[in-house]
Amino acid sequence: MSSAPTTGLSTLPEKTSRWFERAAAALLEQVPCCRGCSHCCIGTFPVTILDRQHLLEGLARLPDAKRLSIQQTARAQVAAIEARFPRLSASQMVDTWPDRLTEQLAEQFKDLPCPALAADGTCAVYAFRPLICRSMGIPPDHDGDVEGACDIQTAVPIIRLSPPLREEEDRLAGEEARQLSALRRTLQCQGEELLLPYAFLPETGVPPPRNSA
């Protein structure tokens, strides 16, 4: 399937979701992602300050009880993480962390569920989920070598994504980089990446969005 231009879509999250849909269709539905599968929602990982804006906007649209419950879970997770990695209490940005530290953290908290993950495997802020969540499942291509996107994807699809779809993927990555750079200047942040639980909290050292994105 040929890729459609992204210029008619209004936001980067929408463009990313539409790209995933076309990429999954092009792989003849060999991508195992389906509603209720939450394998990639377990374990903490970095998201961006751009993702944080979208998550906080999504949280603001939830009923108070639901929003407070998610943020209570996020605060408990932050406390547990900082107890093991106290350097995070001074700065939540993990851009410059050495690989060995990020690997240690990922291993120690590999069973930590996303604060927005519901008991039935659905996402409470699905329409405002991070970009990495929107694109997860499409096998990455590194110099012609295609790998599985997650442990659930035990077999890599024989079909490869077309060059136009990979080119669109690169364009979306470039657009994300530009938006992140602009947002970092606006918020005067020291970095662009923070761990997922921190992104649900408006008081974790990153200035909150001044208006909805």
Side-chain angles (χ1 to χ4, degrees), residues 5 7 10-11 21 50 81 84 100 116 119 130 148-149 168 171 174 185:
T7 53
S10 59
T11 68
E21 292 169 3
L50 190 61
I81 293 172
R84 298 284 188 89
R100 62 176 181 81
E168 183 179 354
R171 288 196 299 272
R185 290 194 300 271

Side-chain angles (χ1 to χ4, degrees), residues 107-118:
E107 176 61 26
Q108 291 188 31
F109 294 96
K110 63 183 179 181
D111 297 323
L112 201 67
C114 173
L117 182 63

Side-chain angles (χ1 to χ4, degrees), residues 7-193:
T7 53
L9 303 173
S10 59
T11 68
L12 180 58
E14 288 173 343
K15 295 176 186 179
T16 304
S17 292
R18 299 288 181 85
W19 174 84
F20 176 89
E21 292 169 3
R22 290 194 300 276
L27 294 175
L28 302 182
E29 307 304 330
Q30 295 184 63
V31 174
C33 301
C34 61
R35 182 177 178 82
C37 178
S38 58
H39 183 81
C40 62
C41 307
I42 306 296
T44 191
F45 50 86
V47 296
T48 69
I49 54 175
L50 190 61
D51 293 322
R52 179 178 182 269
Q53 282 205 321
H54 295 309
L55 283 172
L56 291 181
E57 182 182 354
L59 284 172
R61 296 172 182 245
L62 294 177
D64 289 346
K66 184 66 174 176
R67 181 180 69 257
L68 292 174
S69 176
I70 291 173
Q71 291 183 320
Q72 182 178 11
T73 298
R75 290 189 182 94
Q77 292 182 358
V78 163
I81 293 172
E82 290 184 358
R84 298 284 188 89
F85 295 87
R87 64 185 294 174
L88 284 167
S89 61
S91 173
Q92 290 75 47
M93 297 302 172
V94 296
D95 306 56
T96 60
W97 276 37
D99 290 343
R100 62 176 181 81
L101 275 184
T102 55
E103 290 169 0
Q104 288 176 15
L105 192 151
E107 176 61 26
Q108 291 188 31
F109 294 96
K110 63 183 179 181
D111 297 323
L112 201 67
C114 173
L117 182 63
D120 62 357
T122 58
C123 176
V125 288
Y126 187 78
F128 297 88
R129 65 198 185 282
L131 294 176
I132 189 173
C133 302
R134 294 171 186 269
S135 58
M136 175 61 69
I138 303 300
D141 187 337
H142 300 295
D143 298 324
D145 294 327
V146 180
E147 305 170 357
C150 70
D151 292 342
I152 299 297
Q153 196 171 56
T154 56
V156 176
I158 296 176
I159 299 172
R160 298 294 186 261
L161 284 188
S162 66
L165 278 170
R166 287 300 184 190
E167 290 167 5
E168 183 179 354
E169 181 182 22
D170 291 340
R171 288 196 299 272
L172 290 172
E175 183 172 346
E176 179 187 16
R178 290 189 293 273
Q179 291 191 20
L180 274 172
S181 179
L183 182 60
R184 182 174 178 176
R185 290 194 300 271
T186 298
L187 300 181
Q188 298 182 340
C189 292
Q190 297 302 309
E192 296 178 351
E193 293 186 343

